[in-house]
Amino acid sequence: MNINGKHFETIQIRNGDKPVIRVIDQRLLPFRFEMKDLYTVKEIYSAISEMIVRGAPLIGATAAAGMYLSLFEYTGDSNVDEYIENTAGYLESSRPTAVNLSYAVRTMASEIKKGSTLKMKIKIAGESAQQIIDKERENCLRIGEYGLPVIENISRKKKGKPVNILTHCNAGWLACIDYGTATAPVYLAHDRGINVHVWVDETRPRNQGSKLTAWELRQHGVPCTVIADNTGGHLMQHDMVDMVIVGCDRATTNGDVANKIGTYLKALAAKDNDVPFYVALPSSSFDWTIADGLKEIIIEERGAEELKYMEGLYNDKITSMLITEGVCNAANYAFDVTPARLITGLITEKGICRAERDSIMNLFPDKKSL
Ligand code: MRU
């Protein structure tokens, strides 16, 4: 997407004697826009665990690039395919909930193993990592195209008055490669002159909504308003929300969805107020091996300091300040599970389906046997 009129994507593999992975340091946004170069598998691991990069599709793409980098660190003193397996396991342990991470490293590992020489493996790895990046970009564009008619229908019913869309966390282009998932239909609608307005949940404790979603929407000229996370229900009760669209970190074959903490509460409010609740996700965000989200999805717990300190700009410096007593206990669950029964539809790169097994498998018949 464009920043000050110039097109940017979230990740770039810069090939040379030794590849460099260039990403946007999302910890500094919206106050500073800085690219960061990653040279080693360890730096890739930290970029994911410390959330320099975040968002399920981008986490996957970054890990895929890490698998490519790993072949340049291979010393030859162990079996190369074992080394690749260990690297995949290491990168997979950087964060537990977004399934795109294991999807990407496992895809890379199986591709790399097809190479008979190290030179071949390096070539395959470079191409496969780029393919994962290109596929995620393509997926998001398709999600935009399939989601657009949902917004168009509401716009028609409202005779062109603003379509008020609520979103939670950042499932925008910053979380993907380009276009975003939840934001893709919004960008397409806006670019087609449809009147849209986005309610942006600030999304405590790391504020991906107020820091990232509001910034990228504003960069593209999409009207938006930042709200406290507890405001959405009130707005729905007063018919100020026409639809909710969020992203996904891991969806099950039954249609249960894990996403940023707080998504479940938005889904409950939407159900109580008959507001359509959509989840936008690429097929790489499905965990085809599990059905019951509440029982089977691992929910990341992050450090208490993320909750007890708030980061912001003070005297032109990004500063962190304590917002509770230092001795207080704090629990920081990063995701929750929205049961399929609260979801109106899943918007994927293959079309929209209901959040239920048969409907999902109709869109992805090749997954039936898994
Ligand atoms: O902790 P984060 O910032 O990685 O959480 C991101 C989300 O929950 C997104 O909604 C999800 O990854 C989908 S991104 C298209």
Side-chain angles (χ1 to χ4, degrees), residues 51 54-57 59 95 168-172 175-176 181 208 247-249 259-260 335:
M51 298 179 66
R54 29 74 43 210
I59 290 171
R95 290 187 76 189
H168 189 71
C169 193
N170 174 257
C176 306
T181 56
Q208 287 93 328
C248 169
D249 287 271
N259 192 46
K260 184 51 58 188
F335 301 97

Side-chain angles (χ1 to χ4, degrees), residues 94-328:
S94 56
R95 290 187 76 189
T97 306
V99 71
N100 296 64
L101 179 51
S102 42
Y103 161 79
V105 295
R106 296 296 155 198
T107 304
M108 289 294 293
S110 63
E111 289 303 313
I112 292 169
K113 283 181 191 157
K114 294 176 184 166
S116 53
T117 64
L118 183 59
K119 196 159 177 256
M120 271 296 291
K121 290 178 188 291
I122 288 175
K123 183 172 181 303
I124 291 170
E127 289 164 0
S128 304
Q130 191 58 51
Q131 272 161 19
I132 287 177
I133 289 173
D134 296 342
K135 186 76 183 70
E136 289 302 356
R137 183 192 304 109
E138 173 77 16
N139 287 343
C140 287
L141 185 54
R142 295 285 157 267
I143 288 169
E145 289 162 357
Y146 282 115
L148 175 60
V150 177
I151 299 176
E152 285 173 333
N153 291 342
I154 297 173
S155 179
R156 255 194 302 280
K157 281 195 197 114
K158 294 190 74 176
K159 302 192 173 29
K161 284 208 204 88
V163 177
N164 290 307
I165 301 164
L166 186 142
T167 195
H168 189 71
C169 193
N170 174 257
W173 72 270
L174 287 170
C176 306
I177 312 301
D178 207 345
Y179 310 108
T181 56
T183 55
V186 175
Y187 286 130
L188 263 66
H190 174 77
D191 292 350
R192 305 243 167 121
I194 295 173
N195 214 340
V196 291
H197 163 260
V198 183
W199 297 111
V200 178
D201 280 355
E202 64 175 337
T203 316
R204 288 276 297 149
R206 291 184 70 108
N207 292 15
Q208 287 93 328
S210 56
K211 285 185 172 179
L212 306 177
T213 305
W215 177 78
E216 61 166 272
L217 289 171
R218 270 181 26 71
Q219 286 288 336
H220 200 76
V222 177
C224 64
T225 308
V226 173
I227 53 174
D229 293 335
N230 296 327
T231 306
H234 165 72
L235 295 174
M236 292 179 202
Q237 287 173 321
H238 295 275
D239 297 328
M240 295 165 78
V241 178
D242 298 303
M243 66 180 284
V244 178
I245 186 165
V246 298
C248 169
D249 287 271
R250 189 182 293 249
T252 74
T253 52
N254 283 356
D256 296 337
V257 161
N259 192 46
K260 184 51 58 188
I261 194 83
T263 304
Y264 169 52
L265 298 180
K266 283 294 130 40
L268 281 174
K271 189 79 177 178
D272 190 45
N273 293 282
D274 293 324
V275 172
F277 185 92
Y278 287 93
V279 175
L281 73 162
S283 51
S284 51
S285 295
F286 276 96
D287 184 339
W288 302 104
T289 67
I290 60 172
D292 183 332
L294 278 175
K295 287 205 184 97
E296 302 176 84
I297 296 180
I298 300 167
I299 297 294
E300 180 183 15
E301 249 193 279
R302 295 185 62 86
E305 71 290 345
E306 289 188 354
L307 204 69
K308 294 168 75 167
Y309 289 82
M310 177 84 102
E311 237 182 39
L313 199 66
Y314 182 68
N315 287 343
D316 216 26
K317 227 169 131 283
I318 296 179
T319 311
S320 180
M321 62 187 160
L322 190 59
I323 59 168
T324 180
E325 254 194 307
V327 292
C328 267

